[in-house]
Amino acid sequence: METLVKPLTTLGKVSDLKSGIANFYDESSELWESMWGEHMHHGFYPKGAPVKSNQQAQIDMIEETLKVAGVTQAKKMVDVGCGIGGSSRYISRKFGCTANGITLSPKQAARANVLSKEQGLGDKLQFQVGDALAQPFEDGVFDLVWSMESGEHMPDKKKFVSELARVCAPGGTVIVVTWCHRVLGPGEAALREDEAALLDRINEAYYLPDWCSVADYQRLFEAQGLTDIQTRDWSQEVSPFWGAVIATALTSEGLAGLAKAGWTTIKGALVMPLMAEGFRRGLIKFNLISGRKPPQ
């Protein structure tokens, strides 16, 4: 299938990665919000758990992430790749903290500010256009550094983790939840050709650079001096997600929304089955990695 969709995923592709990412989310975020709500990330569906709504599964993803990272309080958080601010608003209500969020999408930043004001959090939350690889913040100002499904867009993973660690306050926590490829086995220098081809089609539609593994992230966290590093593979726990997204896209409302949103969003919908296939093959992994910045 990846061969069949290549002419479509490459059609109309913006060559500049940052511009492509901004345009993708400018175009698609309104449709996503109308269909799924304010949280623009996977849901958590543990095996054997009672049936729940997709929106509850997304909230459970936030809760499970905080639990694994050992976060029980926060005073000031940064939401790196904030979408329309769903994580920031949820965590602010939970802990009473302030939050700053950055995204490459002007429409996302504006919508995040509007929603926060409407929900009575306008005095505690602020969202702006910003680059995760050159964050517009001073060193060591956030005790919770949060990145929920934005790391896959980062072309320089080393710089990404370096910036997360830089803005983290001593004693604070850095959390990355992201798409990864599988950990390479002994003697493997790279993914197989068929695996790389599948990821290439996904990259073209979603404006993603090269992927890395959770083992790569762990090495980057260690290189920044972060401690108490935790990792999780939640690929099974998120496995129902893409089927649910595909089903939503195929409803009359979803199809009408895709047509209205435009070609970039339609390309994203076309590769949804490839995401599902990648998870099925064990190629795509949904990983968490967290660490603490040592106190001074």
Side-chain angles (χ1 to χ4, degrees):
M1 181 177 178
E2 50 264 38
T3 302
L4 295 175
V5 302
K6 182 176 181 178
L8 301 177
T9 56
T10 55
L11 180 64
K13 189 174 187 294
V14 177
S15 58
D16 177 66
L17 182 65
K18 286 174 61 175
S19 298
I21 293 168
N23 181 65
F24 177 81
Y25 287 109
D26 276 351
E27 186 179 288
S28 63
S29 293
E30 182 179 354
L31 174 60
W32 180 274
E33 183 187 356
S34 71
M35 302 296 291
W36 277 71
E38 64 181 343
H39 296 290
M40 306 185 73
H41 57 79
H42 282 69
F44 191 83
Y45 307 86
K47 188 175 182 179
V51 175
K52 56 187 169 184
S53 70
N54 294 313
Q55 289 71 28
Q56 183 60 52
Q58 290 173 308
I59 291 170
D60 290 349
M61 175 61 72
I62 297 173
E63 287 287 354
E64 290 294 326
T65 297
L66 293 170
K67 184 189 302 182
V68 169
V71 176
T72 57
Q73 60 183 354
K75 293 181 179 178
K76 190 173 184 179
M77 73 172 284
V78 61
D79 192 346
V80 181
C82 60
I84 56 174
S87 291
S88 292
R89 285 186 292 276
Y90 183 85
I91 293 172
S92 179
R93 285 191 290 264
K94 181 179 179 68
F95 294 136
C97 64
T98 62
N100 291 81
I102 55 173
T103 170
L104 291 174
S105 164
K107 288 188 177 180
Q108 283 190 336
R111 182 59 177 158
N113 283 317
V114 168
L115 288 172
S116 298
K117 185 176 181 180
E118 289 177 352
Q119 295 180 28
L121 294 168
D123 60 333
K124 302 187 80 169
L125 308 183
Q126 181 180 352
F127 302 92
Q128 66 190 91
V129 174
D131 186 348
L133 302 185
Q135 295 186 37
F137 308 118
E138 298 295 324
D139 295 356
V141 291
F142 301 104
D143 61 341
L144 176 58
V145 178
W146 177 271
S147 171
M148 175 62 72
E149 292 191 56
S150 63
E152 52 270 17
H153 284 297
M154 307 301 166
D156 186 339
K157 303 296 194 292
K158 181 179 179 180
K159 179 63 173 175
F160 173 51
V161 175
S162 173
E163 278 291 275
L164 298 179
R166 180 184 67 80
V167 301
C168 186
T173 302
V174 176
I175 300 173
V176 175
V177 180
T178 188
W179 310 353
C180 293
H181 66 59
R182 64 177 177 82
V183 175
L184 298 179
E188 281 190 304
L191 296 172
R192 299 191 306 269
E193 186 175 339
D194 63 306
E195 294 176 322
L198 187 147
L199 294 185
D200 283 346
R201 302 294 81 74
I202 293 170
N203 293 351
E204 289 159 358
Y206 291 143
Y207 290 93
L208 306 179
D210 290 340
W211 296 45
C212 70
S213 72
V214 70
D216 296 322
Y217 267 113
Q218 179 156 355
R219 286 189 285 270
L220 292 173
F221 269 51
E222 291 169 349
Q224 289 299 318
L226 300 175
T227 62
D228 191 22
I229 296 173
Q230 304 291 322
T231 65
R232 294 291 186 276
D233 180 353
W234 281 338
S235 305
Q236 290 300 314
E237 285 78 4
V238 304
S239 58
F241 176 79
W242 285 97
V245 174
I246 292 168
T248 301
L250 292 176
T251 64
S252 57
E253 182 182 357
L255 292 170
L258 285 170
K260 179 182 177 182
W263 178 240
T264 299
T265 306
I266 291 171
K267 285 197 296 182
L270 287 172
V271 301
M272 288 177 187
L274 296 186
M275 286 293 298
E277 174 67 9
F279 275 111
R280 188 191 67 78
R281 290 190 198 179
L283 166 62
I284 296 176
K285 298 293 184 179
F286 189 90
N287 291 118
L288 171 147
I289 182 163
S290 68
R292 295 194 186 279
K293 189 171 184 177
Q296 288 182 337

